[in-house]
Structures are given as structure tokens and as C-alpha cells.
């Protein structure tokens, strides 16, 4: 993994003020999660939100795309949903997601782009990947956000302009917390699926693809993928208004049918 660096990027685009530091031109990035040549819907949702945030701070919007040969075909879709740049990390070993190779590639892409914000979907991949990257970069990370805004923050050390306001439920949903990371970059968050509207794509938009050199060593492969089996999802939990779930207390496969019967009566799905 990359060597650790100072909290802020040393670039001409950085301005000091009031005890803080404002990055005015570094991009907003979205980790574009893909599997089998299909982008995760939450990634496209985040591109739409990322476009809004990038416009707010006067920065370009980019996406980090990891995959094997052929992954570059997804760049046009990311451009259509609002990206200006796609940072493409292409390597045969990135065809199937594994934590260490992907984290290595994402850290390299961040080192190249020097973003002020990086967003991930709060999927099983995003929740695995984002903490690893945050640890390597010594950056802040807020998990399971339900909203993101740009705003100012003031504390005993100074005033900070145009920070990422990372909004999420806390204490069992009893309060809504707004979290900021004024002292480290990039500001990073995972965002729940379905909480950001999916923007309408503009197929005429074009952008720039930037190749990210991928440097993988033997130490990045403690796990080997021997075989992979894919099954189509039978229910859409994300789009369901009612989810009925049962656990071990149901007692048997036969009794679990009661859960399915209840879901059918309520117009829901079984979780």
C-alpha cells in the first residue's frame, strides 16, 4: 500500500486561511463499483450527487473505475451521468473484487487525482473497501450517510469553507448527526443505496479517461478466487416498501412459509 502522506495535498490549488486549508480545484471522486461489466446503481446515484457537490465547490467530477480489459466500455455511461473524468485502473486481477488489489488501485488513483472528496456506495464492497483506503491515507470516513451537502464549519482552530457535510442517523436513528473532516483530505463517505435520486443520463456528454498504472505484488493476493457462481436476485429489497424477515426462531423450512404468506398479504417481499 502507498506510503502515508501529510493530511493535505501540497498543491498550488490550496489556499490557507483562518487556521484551515481550502482545496479549490481538486476533484470530487466517486468509486464506480462494477461487476461483470455492469455498474452498481448506487454508483450512478452517487455520480448524480457528486455532480451537485462538484459544481458547488467549483471542481471537476471524476470516477475511479477498476476492472479487467473491457472495463473501459463503462466510461461512456459514467460520462453520461455527469462525470468529467474516469480514472481507469485496468488489470486482469481486478476482474473480480478482492480487498487488497482493489484498495491498492484506488489508493493509486487517489494519489494521482488528489481529490477533496471521495464517495463510495454502502454496499458490501464499499463497506469493505472504504475503511481500508481511509486507513492507508489516514483520512476521515463517515459510514452509511443518507445525505451530503457542502457547508462551512467553525471551531476553536479556525473557520473552514466548503466542507463536505456528512449526514447520517445516529444513536439508533434517534438523532441526525452531521459529521465533518476539516483536517484531512480526502473527505470520504459511504452512502446508502437508494437515498440519492438517479439522474437522467445525457448520452451526448463526453469526458476524459485517465489510465492509472496498477502495481500489484504477491502480498496483495492472500486470497485466490478458485470458482465463482452467480445467481440472479429473486427479490428487490432496495425497491420494496415492505420487507418481512424471519430468523432461526421460525423453527423450520415449513414454518418459514408463514413469513412468505405474510409478505404476500402485506404486498411486500421476504428478506
Amino acid at each position: 500500500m502507498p506510503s502515508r502522506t501529510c493530511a493535505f495535498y501540497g498543491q498550488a490549488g490550496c489556499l490557507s486561511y483562518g487556521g484551515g486549508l481550502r482545496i479549490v480545484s481538486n476533484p470530487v471522486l466517486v468509486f464506480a463499483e462494477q461487476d461483470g461489466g455492469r455498474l452498481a446503481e448506487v454508483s450512478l446515484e452517487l455520480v448524480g450527487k457528486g455532480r451537485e457537490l462538484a459544481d458547488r465547490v467549483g471542481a471537476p467530477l471524476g470516477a475511479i473505475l477498476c476492472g479487467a480489459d473491457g472495463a473501459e466500455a463503462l466510461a461512456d455511461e459514467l460520462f453520461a451521468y455527469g462525470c468529467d473524468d474516469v480514472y481507469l485502473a485496468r488489470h486482469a486481477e481486478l476482474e473480480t473484487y478482492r480487498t487488497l488489489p482493489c484498495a491498492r488501485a484506488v489508493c493509486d488513483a487517489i494519489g494521482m487525482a488528489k481529490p477533496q472528496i471521495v464517495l463510495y456506495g454502502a454496499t458490501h464492497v464499499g463497506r469493505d473497501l472504504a475503511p481500508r483506503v481511509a486507513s492507508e491515507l489516514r483520512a476521515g470516513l463517515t459510514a452509511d450517510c443518507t445525505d451530503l451537502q457542502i457547508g462551512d464549519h467553525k471551531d476553536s482552530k479556525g473557520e473552514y469553507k466548503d466542507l463536505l457535510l456528512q449526514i447520517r442517523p445516529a444513536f439508533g436513528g434517534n438523532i441526525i448527526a452531521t459529521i465533518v473532516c476539516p483536517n484531512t483530505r480526502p473527505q470520504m463517505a459511504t452512502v446508502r443505496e437508494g437515498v440519492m435520486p438517479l439522474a437522467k443520463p445525457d448520452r451526448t456528454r463526453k469526458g476524459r479517461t485517465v489510465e492509472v498504472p496498477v502495481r500489484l505484488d504477491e502480498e496483495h493476493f492472500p486470497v485466490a478466487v478458485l470458482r465463482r457462481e452467480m445467481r440472479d436476485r429473486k427479490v428487490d429489497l432496495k425497491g420494496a416498501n415492505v420487507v418481512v424477515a424471519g430468523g432461526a426462531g421460525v423453527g423450520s423450512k415449513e414454518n418459514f412459509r408463514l413469513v412468505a404468506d405474510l409478505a404476500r398479504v402485506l404486498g411486500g417481499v421476504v428478506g
Side-chain angles (χ1 to χ4, degrees), residues 111-123:
M112 176 181 291
K114 295 181 169 56
Q116 53 184 301
I117 294 169
V118 183
L119 306 177
Y120 308 78
T123 62

Side-chain angles (χ1 to χ4, degrees), residues 7 25 34 37 48 60 71 80 94-96 121 140 157 170 196 203-204 223 237:
S25 60
Q34 65 90 18
L94 295 175
E95 181 175 6
T96 302
K157 296 181 180 179
M196 304 296 177
R203 302 296 177 185
T204 65
V223 175
L237 296 181

